[in-house]
Amino acid sequence: MTHIRVRIGVLGLFLLAGLAAPPSASAADTSSTVEEQRLDKAAPQEILRRSGFDSVTPEFARALDGAGSYARAERVVVQQGARLWRRAVDRAQGRGPAGGDLSRDDDRPLYWARLGMTREVRQWEPDFGLTDAQRAHLLDDLERNSRGENAIRYPHGQGVKRILVTGFDPFTLDRDVRISNPSGATALALDGTTIQTADGPARVETAVFPVRWQDFADGTVERTLRPYLPHVDLFTTISQGRVGRFDVERTNGAWRGGYPDNLNLSVTGPVPVSDPASQPQWTSTTLPYQAIVAANTGRFPVYDNTSVTEIPAGGTDPVVRADGPTPGSTARAGGGGNYLSNEIAYRATLLRDRLGLHGSLPGGHVHTPVLEFGAGNTDPATGTVTDPEFLQNRLDIIAQVRAILTVAADATAPASATVRTRG
C-alpha cells in the first residue's frame, strides 16, 4: 500500500498523500462550504485586492439583491459568471487594466472571486423565496459560466485545427492557502488563442474544473466535453503533477484513491460513470507521446509515464507495474495516480472511446511540474503570496504547455484531412 499512498496526490504535491487529512472547517457555519470559508484568510484577501478582483463579490451581491424574481436572478448569475471568466482570461492575456500589482498570469483571483460569488448565492435570502432546487440550479449556472464551460467557441470552416484544453483549481489549500495551479493559469493564458502549427493555425479553447469528487460523480467532465470531442482535432486534460518534470500519462485507471478534495471529503472506490457494466479498468492516451517527449519544448524534461498500480488477475494485493497494466488486472492507480487528475483523464478518454473516436482523435493527460515558491518563501505562515521564482516558474510552465500543444498538433493530421463530422 505504500506505493498507492505515494501516488494518490499526483494532481499536485502527491507525496502529501502520506500526511493526515486536513481538518474540517467549523461545523457551526452551515451557510458556507469548507472551501468558501478559506476565503476569509489573509492570503486570499490579499490576492483579490492586488488583482482588483475584490470588487467582484460586492458587485455581484448588489446585482443579485436587485433581481426581484428567480428568472432575473438566473440571468444575473449567468451573466456575472461569464463576465468573471472573461475578465480572468482578459487579465491573463494582457487585455484591460491589471487591477493591481499581482502578475497577470495568476489563476488565483478567478478561484477566490468565484468562491465569494458562490457564498453569496448560498447565503442569499430573497423576498420572493428560493427553493433548495432553485438555489442549486443558480450555483450550477454560476460554476459552469465562471469556468469557461459555456464559452467554448471555435471558428467555422476548414483549415483551422481545434484544440480543447482543461485545467484545475488550486488545491491542498489547508497545507498552504497561497497555492496556485499552473494548469488553471495555463487555461486562462491559452483560452481563445491561436497556435501556429506546420499545417496552419490551431484554435485553443479551455475550461477549468473544480477539485471536488462530487462534481465529477455528477458528470461535470462529460457534460462539458461531450458536445466538442466529435469536432476537435486534439484534446488534453492538464493538471499539476511531480516536481521538476512534465509527464504524458500513458494509462488511466478506474479507481478513486480517497485523498481529500477541496471540501476535505475523501472518496475511495471505482470511478463512478454511466453504464458501469461496460466500464473498462484502464483507458489509454492517444496523444502523440513519442513526438512530445522527443521535442525540445522547454526547460523541464518531459516523460512518457507508463507506470500503473494494479491488482493482477487472480491476485489480492496491489502491485506497481512500470510498463503498464497486465491483462485482466484491476486498477488501483493510473500513471497519474488515483486522484482527480487521473479521474479527469480516465473520464475524458473513456468518453472519447465511447464516442467511437479512439482511432481518430488524439487525446490524453499531461501533468505539469509542481509550481514552487522561491527558496526563501516556503513557509505558509510567514511567506508572501508571490515571488520572482514563483512567477518565472509559472510563466515557464505555461510556455512549455503551449509548445507541447504545438508539437502534438504538428504530429496530427491537417484539419482539412479530418474525417470526423465538423460542427
Side-chain angles (χ1 to χ4, degrees):
M1 296 299 290
T2 301
H3 296 292
I4 294 178
R5 291 177 66 83
V6 169
R7 297 162 68 82
I8 283 173
V10 74
L11 179 59
L13 303 178
F14 65 105
L15 294 175
L16 291 174
L19 301 180
S24 297
S26 171
D29 187 356
T30 59
S31 59
S32 60
T33 67
V34 169
E35 195 171 18
E36 292 162 355
Q37 289 169 35
R38 299 187 188 102
L39 180 62
D40 298 322
K41 295 180 180 292
Q45 291 301 311
E46 180 182 351
I47 289 165
L48 290 171
R49 185 174 64 254
R50 292 178 62 181
S51 61
F53 278 54
D54 54 344
S55 65
V56 170
T57 299
E59 291 173 1
F60 175 64
R62 287 193 294 271
L64 202 57
D65 286 340
S69 69
Y70 175 73
R72 292 180 180 177
E74 188 172 22
R75 286 197 293 272
V76 167
V77 166
V78 169
Q79 291 169 358
Q80 298 262 348
R83 185 179 302 169
L84 175 62
W85 172 256
R86 182 48 47 194
R87 179 173 174 178
V89 169
D90 286 347
R91 187 176 192 275
Q93 297 180 17
R95 293 185 291 272
D101 66 344
L102 201 66
S103 175
R104 280 184 174 266
D105 57 283
D106 205 311
D107 61 306
R108 296 172 295 179
L110 170 64
Y111 175 71
W112 292 113
R114 182 192 301 112
L115 287 175
M117 295 172 74
T118 59
R119 184 162 66 177
E120 283 296 325
V121 174
R122 214 175 301 279
Q123 297 177 347
W124 186 44
E125 296 294 344
D127 292 339
F128 56 82
L130 199 64
T131 67
D132 290 344
Q134 288 174 326
R135 193 183 306 275
H137 186 74
L138 292 178
L139 287 166
D140 184 61
D141 279 342
L142 180 53
E143 288 280 343
R144 295 189 67 182
N145 285 280
S146 66
R147 294 184 174 280
E149 295 177 18
N150 288 344
I152 297 172
R153 302 286 187 274
Y154 289 104
H156 295 288
Q158 303 294 318
V160 178
K161 287 187 175 181
R162 305 176 183 190
I163 300 175
L164 183 59
V165 172
T166 69
F168 271 106
D169 287 345
F171 69 111
T172 65
L173 294 158
D174 286 329
R175 186 189 65 84
D176 188 343
V177 78
R178 305 173 301 160
I179 281 174
S180 163
N181 193 323
S183 69
T186 297
L188 294 177
L190 297 184
D191 186 57
T193 63
T194 298
I195 293 176
Q196 293 301 323
T197 75
D199 298 316
R203 172 67 169 260
V204 182
E205 292 289 324
T206 71
V208 174
F209 283 96
V211 183
R212 297 190 295 252
W213 293 111
Q214 188 59 51
D215 291 67
F216 277 49
D218 290 340
T220 185
V221 173
E222 292 83 356
R223 180 179 67 179
T224 302
L225 302 186
R226 184 177 287 108
Y228 304 105
L229 289 195
H231 310 295
V232 301
D233 299 281
L234 174 77
F235 76 89
T236 182
T237 54
I238 301 176
S239 62
Q240 181 176 247
R242 298 170 178 83
V243 174
R245 60 184 279 180
F246 277 86
D247 287 282
V248 182
E249 305 297 353
R250 186 83 74 87
T251 307
N252 318 296
W255 186 257
R256 294 176 151 194
Y259 188 73
D261 65 7
N262 275 350
L263 293 174
N264 290 346
L265 299 177
S266 300
V267 182
T268 303
V271 171
V273 298
S274 62
D275 192 16
S278 67
Q279 177 179 11
Q281 286 296 301
W282 309 100
T283 63
S284 60
T285 188
T286 50
L287 289 171
Y289 55 86
Q290 292 175 320
I292 294 171
V293 170
N296 180 16
T297 54
R299 75 177 234 233
F300 297 103
V302 184
Y303 293 89
D304 168 23
N305 184 26
T306 60
S307 179
V308 301
T309 302
E310 67 174 19
I311 298 177
T316 57
D317 297 324
V319 176
V320 175
R321 300 288 190 192
D323 296 324
T326 56
S329 65
T330 302
R332 283 299 177 266
N338 49 25
Y339 195 40
L340 286 161
S341 56
N342 167 76
E343 183 160 332
I344 197 170
Y346 178 84
R347 288 179 177 276
T349 50
L350 177 62
L351 178 61
R352 174 205 61 199
D353 296 348
R354 286 181 167 180
L355 290 171
L357 303 172
H358 182 95
S360 61
L361 176 59
H365 191 79
V366 173
H367 266 114
T368 76
V370 172
L371 179 57
E372 298 180 289
F373 287 100
N377 188 27
T378 57
D379 186 346
T382 60
T384 59
V385 299
T386 189
D387 62 59
E389 185 174 342
F390 176 76
L391 294 180
Q392 192 60 55
N393 286 338
R394 188 166 56 204
L395 289 172
D396 288 349
I397 291 170
I398 292 170
Q400 193 159 351
V401 171
R402 188 192 302 269
I404 288 171
L405 291 176
T406 302
V407 170
D410 283 343
T412 62
S416 59
T418 301
V419 297
R420 295 186 307 278
T421 302
R422 317 262 327 161

